[in-house]
Amino acid sequence: MSPVPVVYDTDGGVDDCSALWYGLVSSEIDIVGVTSVHGVVSAQQAAANVAKVLVAADRTDIPYAVGAEEPIGPRPGFPEAALMHGEDGLGNAGPPDVDLAPTEETGAELIVRLAKERPGELTLVAVGPFTNVALALRLEPSLPDLLGDLVIMGGAARPPGNATPLGEFNVVFDPVASNQMVLAGWQSPPLMVGLDVTMSATMGDAEFDAMNERATPQARFMADPFVLYRQLSAIETGDGTCPSHDTLTMMAVEQPDVVSATELPLVVDTGGDAAFGMTVVDFRAEWLDKGLVPEEFRDMAIEQFYGGKAKWRIALDVDVEQFRASIRRFYSGG
């Protein structure tokens, strides 16, 4: 099997850079382009962090582009993510900037160009706010047919969220863009890797021991940035472990069986009230698969469950031990 060609859309934080490294060293993934977007840091800073990884990994052949700096629509207020990722997005411990220029394209333009050059082949892995994806859809409405797959880190099928009581950060940062992406009419249901699985697949002492041995370039690069991120993540998990949301998302491209997904209707709340930015998953649709809806009411149920929503693959379970073993191999090189 040939490696999966991936375009990676990122907001440049700690777990973002870990996921980029994961894709770069995996024999099953071929990173063909990277785009930055506003989120935990500015799109410019996220691009600078991408450049640092590409240089450290000796992959300066991969084009990267600076994407959107502002959401396309309103969003709720929430705490700045710089608290967890540091002002530089790398735990205030990142290496200095490098001399590697981005392309002259915007992030959306790079996504569209690469998709047109390789129709039906590319997987777009988006792990930051989804503004670039929405802008790419505006540039090329046929993007859902040009891409082979879409895999996102974002959302929460079941509360709580992490940016608002009901909303996950990437979705809440630009709910309008998120909903446009969700409802874009993808040729096959995209995969949502949300908090339902990323908050379970965490890194513990064994994984950090592997990283802190600094036996590989990725471990040497990520060990210091993870210090602050781990410290503050422990508040969320309550057990001293640390999620690596975006690394799990990239791993799901390499190892699809690391998560278990169910096809369900999805929409993003853009109403501006208490659920603003919530990923609304209609679990009632499972009644259809379980044969609980009488045949005479089936068409009505389908309309009610799927009306105004889109079918997505929602990751609801994760093999935690598979994730942790893969993380240890990733950082140790073993």
Side-chain angles (χ1 to χ4, degrees), residues 179 182-183 265-269 278-282 308-310:
N179 200 42
V182 165
L183 300 179
L266 175 66
V267 70
V268 177
D269 189 298
M278 178 184 181
T279 41
V280 181
V281 176
D282 198 334
K309 308 180 187 77

Side-chain angles (χ1 to χ4, degrees), residues 118-237:
R118 303 177 65 172
E121 294 183 28
L122 302 183
T123 294
L124 175 59
V125 178
V127 300
F130 303 111
T131 312
N132 284 343
V133 184
L135 293 175
L137 287 164
R138 291 182 180 183
L139 282 176
E140 183 48 75
S142 65
L143 186 65
D145 296 318
L146 290 171
L147 287 172
D149 201 3
L150 171 65
V151 178
I152 72 164
M153 190 283 121
R158 298 182 175 96
N162 61 355
T164 67
L166 299 175
E168 182 276 329
F169 177 86
N170 289 338
V171 177
V172 166
F173 204 93
D174 196 345
V176 173
S178 301
N179 200 42
Q180 289 179 5
M181 172 189 69
V182 165
L183 300 179
W186 303 94
Q187 61 174 328
S188 60
L191 174 64
M192 182 182 105
V193 180
L195 299 180
D196 308 271
V197 289
T198 64
M199 290 302 296
S200 298
T202 56
M203 298 164 56
D205 288 342
E207 290 69 51
F208 280 102
D209 286 346
M211 181 194 300
N212 290 329
E213 288 178 0
R214 302 178 189 243
T216 59
Q218 57 268 27
R220 290 190 288 273
F221 188 99
M222 295 304 311
D224 291 334
F226 257 108
V227 171
L228 175 64
Y229 188 81
R230 182 186 187 186
Q231 177 186 0
L232 295 178
S233 292
I235 299 173
E236 290 184 310
T237 62

Side-chain angles (χ1 to χ4, degrees), residues 14 45 49 52 85 88-97 221 224-226:
V14 174
Q45 182 62 55
N49 292 347
K52 295 174 188 181
H85 292 265
D88 67 349
L90 286 171
N92 297 326
D97 288 341
F221 188 99
D224 291 334
F226 257 108

Side-chain angles (χ1 to χ4, degrees), residues 27-58:
S27 61
E28 305 300 321
I29 295 174
D30 178 21
I31 304 289
V32 299
V34 185
T35 56
S36 73
V37 67
H38 61 156
V40 299
V41 290
S42 69
Q44 285 287 346
Q45 182 62 55
N49 292 347
V50 166
K52 295 174 188 181
V53 174
L54 295 178
V55 168
D58 196 23

